[in-house]
Amino acid sequence: MRLFINILSLLFAVNTVAAQGKYTIKATVEDPQKKSLQLAGTVDIQNTNSTTSIINNAFKISVNKGNYIIKITVKDYSIVKLPITITNDNIDLGTIYLQKDITVEKVDNLITLTDAALSEEETSTITSGLLQATRDVFLSRAAFDFGQAFFRVRGYDSKYSKVLINGIAMNNISDGRPQWNNWGGLNDVTRNQEFTYGLQPAKYTFGGILGTTNINTQPSKMRPGTRVSFSAANRTYTGRVMTTHTSSTNKKGITYSISASRRWAKQGYLNGTLYDAYSVFGALEYKLNSKNTLLATAIAATNRRGRSSAVTEEVFLLKGRKYNPYWGLQNNKIRNSRERKITQPILMFNHIYTTTNTTTNTTINTGVSYKFGPHKKSRLGYYNAPNPDATYYRYLPSFYINSPIGANFESAETARQSFIKNSQINWGNIYNANNTYEDAKASYVLYNDVVDDKTITFNSTANITLNKHFTIDSGILYKNLSAKNYAIIDDLLGAEYHLDIDTFSNTSNDVNGNNNKTNNQIFSYNYNLTASNLNAFAQIKATYKKWYASLAINTNTISYQRNGLFKNERYPETSIGKSNKVNFNALNFKGSFTYKINGRHWVNGKFALIKKPPTIQNTFINPRENNAVVNNIKNQTIRTGDVNYFIRLPKLTGRVSAFYSLFNDETDVNFFFVESGIGSDFVQEVVTGIDKKHKGIEIGLEYELSSAVKVTGVAAIADYTYNNNPNVAINFDTTNNDENAINLEGYSNLGESNIKNYKLAQGPQKAIAIGLEYRDPKYWWISGSANFLGNNYANISTITRTRSFYLNPDTNEPFTDATPENVNKLLAQNKMKDFYLLNIVGGKSWIINGKYVSVFASVNNVFDTVFKTGGYEQSRNGNYGQMKQDNLSTTPSFGTKYWYGYGRTYFLNLAISF
């Protein structure tokens, strides 16, 4: 209340008349709890090029007559926005007291939510981590509240975003996505971020259609001092400790920052999901002179976690949402068969050149980074032995109920009771099975799929302010990837060797090597992938009193090559040696235009035309075994645009947006076993020419009921659909000579998949939230949000919507009862139930003996709502007769698999800063 009264009383205070038509706005800023604290930051006049720095807790800025919004930004404090009217006098705002930014604490909570999503659904990541730096009310709600339900802003995957550290792109070449685990646990030193949403112009890169985040690790941009925090939670990890120290800049111009954290859990919210992570960070900055700065950064984060699985409705009803089939007890300790471990340090060096004069400003940031290390995913392999997964379809009641020879309810009940009692991996039985053979050959092997990356990136960007109207940004990037891909035996589980033979075709995986493999030996597959990427962009921005605009152009060249190191007996000619290089070239454009109705209302429009090369994952059909490349593969074409209306009144702020995006010629490669209308086999499904359509509106409004209370309302109403019928082809090996083999060519073009107008599985397509926040003058706060999320759909199988689905594999003729009505009933898309979530967060801060102490607590899903976050149709039932038989009951053996959201969870954090 004191801040509110102070600003109102001083807002129109009259000073001396400014000379030459320019008028001065000045003020001092203070921390109300620690008034002696030295604060530094920036002051901007929104929608103009006018900016200045806060030095020694004071600022002064000059403007012409008019209505403006002045924005005061100080790190770790809430941004202050004040409406200003300049008539014929200078304005002295007096002392403005800043409030601690509760987002600093909320981001810690967000990271635990992002971790949860990354651990559960690895085929597609959510975008919450990208949004942690935003001040937009809609995006903030999307990150902190909708993210727990796998909500994706505009339905975009994170591969359509760009994440940079010190101007250097961190997105992986292999899948196009940023790997947040590479700097996980280092919240204190990675929170200094600059975020541009969607197609807005970014300083350091052409950007992605979802947005761009640049993480700045310069110690001089961080608050000097030490921060120690302790956290407890019941999500992915149960405990965390983190400490950070940043020095002041000494007389020699040297500043440094160090940080370390430890996160752990014997098991997280989901059963059997261990968590074990260590992170360290160091940055050293040397300011040579007023123009040149050197920056060295080192990040090392290792993350080991137990993974979980999507399950069918049948399994969920038997075991609940916390069930996870991947683990079992060994010597009374949890052992997860599918762990993921990432250890990929990043070394980075930057040179920053800055020059300023009365007419132009220039900043050139040149950097090089080296990221290296393995990404391991463990798996339990079985060879001529029973499947160790307790959810294997033959172990479940539905196998007996949906039997083609008739339902056997007695056996189904026996299976139900057996599954309830024995629903985890039996490690004892596995060790016993490995002692069956006299020569101690392994029936079960625990192994790791390893991707060992080495990525070198060079980047240089220039930001040049030519004058008060024009700014030019440009940059060039070169990235080179060398990735070793192989499987390695981690544990023979009591056996002495593993016979490296494909059990289905009885062929060798390594013709030139020894087929008897032991611990720590590479087996099954072994190949290298190399990729190089040259990317350049140029951008011009024009700013005038009533409008500003930008136009950007980007060129992108990328090439891939595979080099097989094992000669595979199934593909003797194409498995070993180098493939041809696969090259892609793209030319991209984007632009924006903003018209200022006045200082408090403005409208904006943006567009982009982008050619996006396919990732390595969707270029090679079966890289573990051969050099085959998708036929006639091409760039994905993206055409997108949006229009936006912004309002900035003294009490009401917000945005209303409408967007429309078309994605054409996408390629997708999948692997599974199918019993199709033309035969049964393990196949590589190649779907080409996929078109998608995303359209919708976003609304985000914030209203101050008083200086202490504000209410927010946000909504996303969207529609994401397939926009055509793409082509489906399958590839398979032909060495098995099974009577049910599809054909002897190893390839079949199944033609179109009739999926047009089916919904995309991109998270909830409708999301609405109302939030209320109270901030007490005595430095405590509490807020709550009520959230509705709906229109969430499971991912569809494309092969079941091809013409082969209608064929009887025994006769090669269509099923007589496969009428459009019956087929449509079987293939109706699964829409998950809509649901409501209530989240509550709060905190309190004190100054104790000169130390800043804060407590933050959050409770998500207060009412313990059960909800599905995503799912996918299984493709096993690839013909009408098979699927019809499997759906005789309400619990098909190969029904849709779902991920389930967390129930009631908490996060508690205590932080001490000094």
Side-chain angles (χ1 to χ4, degrees):
M1 195 65 183
R2 178 173 51 185
L3 171 64
F4 182 72
I5 295 173
N6 192 31
I7 291 173
L8 283 183
S9 62
L10 294 172
L11 186 58
F12 301 102
V14 177
N15 209 335
T16 58
V17 176
Q20 300 177 357
K22 283 280 187 178
Y23 300 91
T24 299
I25 304 170
K26 68 177 182 178
T28 58
V29 294
E30 289 183 0
D31 183 322
Q33 290 179 284
K34 199 173 183 180
K35 297 181 180 180
S36 60
L37 191 65
Q38 289 294 304
L39 302 178
T42 59
V43 177
D44 302 288
I45 305 297
Q46 287 195 333
N47 303 326
T48 73
N49 278 334
S50 298
T51 184
T52 190
S53 298
I54 298 172
I55 300 174
N56 295 325
N57 291 45
F59 70 86
K60 182 184 293 186
I61 191 167
S62 297
V63 295
N64 296 315
K65 289 183 180 180
N67 297 317
Y68 304 98
I69 293 178
I70 185 170
K71 184 174 77 170
I72 303 169
T73 305
V74 177
K75 183 173 173 54
D76 295 339
Y77 292 86
S78 295
I79 291 176
V80 175
K81 295 180 180 179
L82 304 173
I84 301 290
T85 299
I86 302 294
T87 54
N88 294 312
D89 301 292
N90 298 326
I91 292 180
D92 184 350
L93 296 175
T95 300
I96 299 174
Y97 293 107
L98 304 181
Q99 295 179 327
K100 278 286 186 177
D101 184 7
I102 59 176
T103 305
V104 173
E105 309 295 342
K106 290 172 70 177
V107 164
D108 289 343
N109 179 47
L110 171 64
I111 296 302
T112 66
L113 298 175
T114 304
D115 277 346
L118 291 173
S119 66
E120 288 181 28
E121 185 181 8
E122 299 184 24
T123 58
S124 180
T125 58
I126 65 169
T127 53
S128 296
L130 180 76
L131 306 176
Q132 59 185 278
T134 182
R135 303 289 176 174
D136 181 276
V137 61
F138 171 82
L139 296 178
S140 179
R141 189 66 68 198
F144 293 106
D145 289 292
F146 299 161
Q148 63 188 302
F150 283 58
F151 177 82
R152 293 171 177 82
V153 174
R154 298 189 178 181
Y156 298 158
D157 186 274
S158 62
K159 66 184 178 183
Y160 295 110
S161 68
K162 291 292 183 184
V163 175
L164 302 86
I165 299 181
N166 300 327
I168 300 176
M170 291 288 110
N171 294 58
N172 292 332
I173 292 183
S174 58
D175 62 6
R177 299 183 178 111
Q179 180 56 264
W180 292 94
N181 286 305
N182 290 150
W183 51 89
L186 298 169
N187 309 7
D188 289 346
V189 291
T190 59
R191 68 173 82 255
N192 186 17
Q193 301 181 12
E194 183 177 345
F195 174 71
T196 54
Y197 178 45
L199 302 176
Q200 290 177 334
K203 289 183 179 179
Y204 311 103
T205 180
F206 181 80
I209 63 170
L210 175 58
T212 303
T213 293
N214 182 59
I215 300 171
N216 189 334
T217 68
Q218 286 182 262
S220 64
K221 305 295 184 182
M222 303 178 192
R223 178 172 298 285
T226 301
R227 186 176 190 264
V228 181
S229 64
F230 308 89
S231 303
N234 67 336
R235 295 171 185 167
T236 51
Y237 57 77
T238 56
R240 185 194 69 181
V241 60
M242 180 167 56
T243 182
T244 302
H245 175 74
T246 301
S247 73
S248 299
T249 304
N250 64 21
K251 295 180 180 179
K252 295 181 179 180
I254 296 174
T255 318
Y256 70 87
S257 182
I258 55 175
S259 184
S261 76
R262 168 88 166 91
R263 293 166 291 162
W264 68 90
K266 289 184 178 180
Q267 67 175 355
Y269 182 83
L270 299 175
N271 295 333
T273 53
L274 67 92
Y275 196 101
D276 189 19
Y278 298 83
S279 304
V280 293
F281 166 93
L284 179 66
E285 181 180 2
Y286 179 31
K287 189 170 185 178
L288 295 170
N289 50 48
S290 61
K291 294 183 178 180
N292 294 278
T293 300
L294 302 179
L295 173 65
T297 305
I299 300 173
T302 180
N303 185 300
R304 173 177 167 242
R305 62 176 65 180
R307 296 159 63 196
S308 59
S309 172
V311 296
T312 61
E313 188 78 9
E314 176 185 20
V315 172
F316 166 75
L317 292 174
L318 290 171
K319 296 296 295 184
R321 64 180 165 193
K322 289 188 178 183
Y323 174 67
N324 175 20
Y326 288 160
W327 69 278
L329 291 176
Q330 183 178 353
N331 298 325
N332 293 320
K333 292 184 179 180
I334 292 173
R335 186 177 189 183
N336 192 309
S337 65
R338 296 207 183 186
E339 293 185 2
R340 182 171 67 168
K341 185 175 182 179
I342 302 175
T343 307
Q344 295 181 323
I346 300 172
L347 303 176
M348 187 176 296
F349 181 80
N350 290 78
H351 170 255
I352 304 168
Y353 172 82
T354 304
T355 180
T356 303
N357 57 44
T358 55
T359 57
T360 64
N361 299 318
T362 300
T363 299
I364 300 175
N365 183 351
T366 302
V368 61
S369 75
Y370 179 51
K371 185 178 75 169
F372 60 97
H375 181 176
K376 301 178 180 179
K377 293 181 180 179
S378 68
R379 182 183 292 267
L380 185 58
Y382 57 100
Y383 308 89
N384 292 319
N387 191 327
D389 184 352
T391 62
Y392 183 54
Y393 76 102
R394 290 180 176 268
Y395 305 155
L396 297 173
S398 58
F399 176 71
Y400 300 96
I401 294 175
N402 301 323
S403 172
I405 61 174
N408 186 332
F409 294 102
E410 183 177 348
S411 295
E413 176 60 21
T414 301
R416 187 188 71 84
Q417 294 179 9
S418 177
F419 175 72
I420 291 174
K421 294 177 182 178
N422 305 288
S423 54
Q424 304 304 145
I425 291 175
N426 191 319
W427 291 102
N429 286 350
I430 287 173
Y431 276 86
N432 291 336
N434 273 0
N435 290 319
T436 301
Y437 295 102
E438 291 183 4
D439 60 354
K441 182 180 72 172
S443 297
Y444 297 92
V445 170
L446 187 68
Y447 66 93
N448 282 308
D449 291 313
V450 181
V451 179
D452 193 352
D453 282 353
K454 292 179 174 61
T455 304
I456 297 176
T457 308
F458 169 83
N459 188 85
S460 185
T461 57
N463 309 114
I464 304 171
T465 301
L466 299 176
N467 52 47
K468 67 179 183 178
H469 293 302
F470 292 101
T471 301
I472 293 177
D473 304 309
S474 62
I476 186 169
L477 173 144
Y478 175 76
K479 180 174 288 192
N480 182 271
L481 167 70
S482 176
K484 298 179 180 179
N485 296 259
Y486 55 87
I488 188 169
I489 297 175
D490 183 66
D491 191 345
L492 285 170
L493 304 170
E496 292 186 5
Y497 75 97
H498 166 65
L499 184 62
D500 194 13
I501 297 292
D502 179 71
T503 57
F504 293 93
S505 60
N506 199 33
T507 55
S508 174
N509 295 316
D510 182 13
V511 172
N512 298 331
N514 186 347
N515 283 329
N516 294 348
K517 303 296 176 72
T518 59
N519 279 332
N520 299 315
Q521 284 193 323
I522 295 175
F523 81 112
S524 185
Y525 65 93
N526 187 12
Y527 66 97
N528 293 339
L529 285 174
T530 56
S532 61
N533 179 213
L534 182 63
N535 192 301
F537 85 101
Q539 176 175 265
I540 185 168
K541 294 179 288 189
T543 302
Y544 284 85
K545 183 176 181 180
K546 295 290 290 184
W547 62 270
Y548 58 95
S550 67
L551 184 65
I553 185 172
N554 165 253
T555 63
N556 188 22
T557 300
I558 194 165
S559 67
Y560 307 135
Q561 187 174 39
R562 177 189 183 272
N563 182 19
L565 303 179
F566 274 5
K567 184 176 182 179
N568 188 300
E569 191 174 355
R570 297 179 294 286
Y571 302 95
E573 303 299 325
T574 60
S575 57
I576 194 166
K578 293 184 178 180
S579 70
N580 294 326
K581 284 191 175 181
V582 186
N583 301 304
F584 301 95
N585 299 288
L587 183 64
N588 307 312
F589 302 90
K590 73 173 184 177
S592 69
F593 181 83
T594 299
Y595 177 74
K596 294 177 284 186
I597 301 170
N598 53 46
R600 298 177 181 180
H601 304 268
W602 64 96
V603 292
N604 165 273
K606 301 185 289 290
F607 75 93
L609 176 61
I610 295 173
K611 299 284 187 178
K612 186 175 178 63
T615 62
I616 293 179
Q617 290 181 345
N618 291 321
T619 298
F620 293 96
I621 297 173
N622 185 13
R624 291 185 175 183
E625 296 187 341
N626 59 58
N627 289 333
V629 174
V630 174
N631 290 330
N632 301 316
I633 191 167
K634 60 179 69 174
N635 289 327
Q636 179 188 30
T637 300
I638 304 171
R639 295 186 291 264
T640 181
D642 61 44
V643 291
N644 311 272
Y645 164 70
F646 297 87
I647 183 171
R648 293 289 185 272
L649 299 178
K651 288 185 175 292
L652 178 66
T653 62
R655 168 175 65 89
V656 179
S657 301
F659 64 91
Y660 189 88
S661 301
L662 294 175
F663 300 79
N664 300 108
D665 292 323
E666 187 175 353
T667 300
D668 190 29
V669 179
N670 305 293
F671 304 84
F672 49 82
F673 181 83
V674 64
E675 297 180 26
S676 74
I678 60 173
S680 304
D681 212 331
F682 286 98
V683 301
Q684 301 93 49
E685 178 195 53
V686 180
V687 189
T688 54
I690 304 170
D691 293 350
K692 300 176 181 179
K693 179 169 62 178
H694 294 229
K695 61 182 179 180
I697 60 172
E698 299 168 344
I699 302 171
L701 298 172
E702 181 177 279
Y703 184 78
E704 286 192 11
L705 295 173
S706 69
S707 61
V709 180
K710 65 180 178 183
V711 61
T712 59
V714 305
I717 311 297
D719 186 41
Y720 316 136
T721 59
Y722 288 100
N723 204 34
N724 75 329
N725 296 322
N727 190 79
V728 175
I730 54 175
N731 296 262
F732 42 89
D733 79 78
T734 59
T735 56
N736 192 13
N737 293 322
D738 186 91
E739 62 179 8
N740 293 321
I742 296 174
N743 62 41
L744 298 179
E745 287 75 38
Y747 172 84
S748 181
N749 188 343
L750 303 182
E752 287 188 350
S753 178
N754 294 305
I755 63 173
K756 185 175 182 179
N757 296 324
Y758 274 87
K759 302 292 186 179
L760 295 172
Q762 294 299 109
Q765 301 189 22
K766 180 185 291 184
I768 302 171
I770 297 176
L772 187 66
E773 179 181 307
Y774 173 76
R775 297 193 63 154
D776 193 85
K778 295 185 178 180
Y779 313 111
W780 64 269
W781 61 274
I782 187 170
S783 68
S785 65
N787 307 274
F788 168 82
L789 296 114
N791 292 4
N792 195 7
Y793 296 86
N795 196 25
I796 61 172
S797 165
T798 51
I799 196 170
T800 59
R801 290 163 174 86
T802 64
R803 66 175 186 269
S804 68
F805 182 76
Y806 292 82
L807 299 178
N808 186 329
D810 296 328
T811 64
N812 204 32
E813 296 292 332
F815 288 97
T816 56
D817 60 339
T819 63
E821 181 182 1
N822 289 339
V823 170
N824 290 338
K825 184 178 179 180
L826 274 182
L827 297 180
Q829 190 171 13
N830 290 290
K831 178 180 180 293
M832 288 166 267
K833 288 183 179 180
D834 302 343
F835 56 94
Y836 297 86
L837 297 175
L838 176 66
N839 303 322
I840 297 176
V841 297
K844 176 82 169 79
S845 62
W846 305 263
I847 297 294
I848 302 175
N849 295 327
K851 297 178 176 63
Y852 182 81
V853 180
S854 65
V855 172
F856 171 89
S858 72
V859 179
N860 281 54
N861 192 1
V862 173
F863 296 126
D864 203 29
T865 301
V866 177
F867 63 96
K868 297 170 182 174
T869 59
Y872 62 92
E873 295 177 358
Q874 299 188 74
S875 295
R876 171 99 178 216
N877 291 329
N879 67 76
Y880 172 81
Q882 193 84 13
M883 185 176 287
K884 176 186 174 183
Q885 181 66 41
D886 195 31
N887 281 269
L888 290 178
S889 71
T890 57
T891 55
S893 297
F894 299 102
T896 302
K897 285 193 170 184
Y898 296 102
W899 282 275
Y900 289 84
Y902 287 1
R904 185 186 302 110
T905 59
Y906 69 88
F907 178 78
L908 181 65
N909 189 69
L910 169 67
I912 304 171
S913 303
F914 52 92

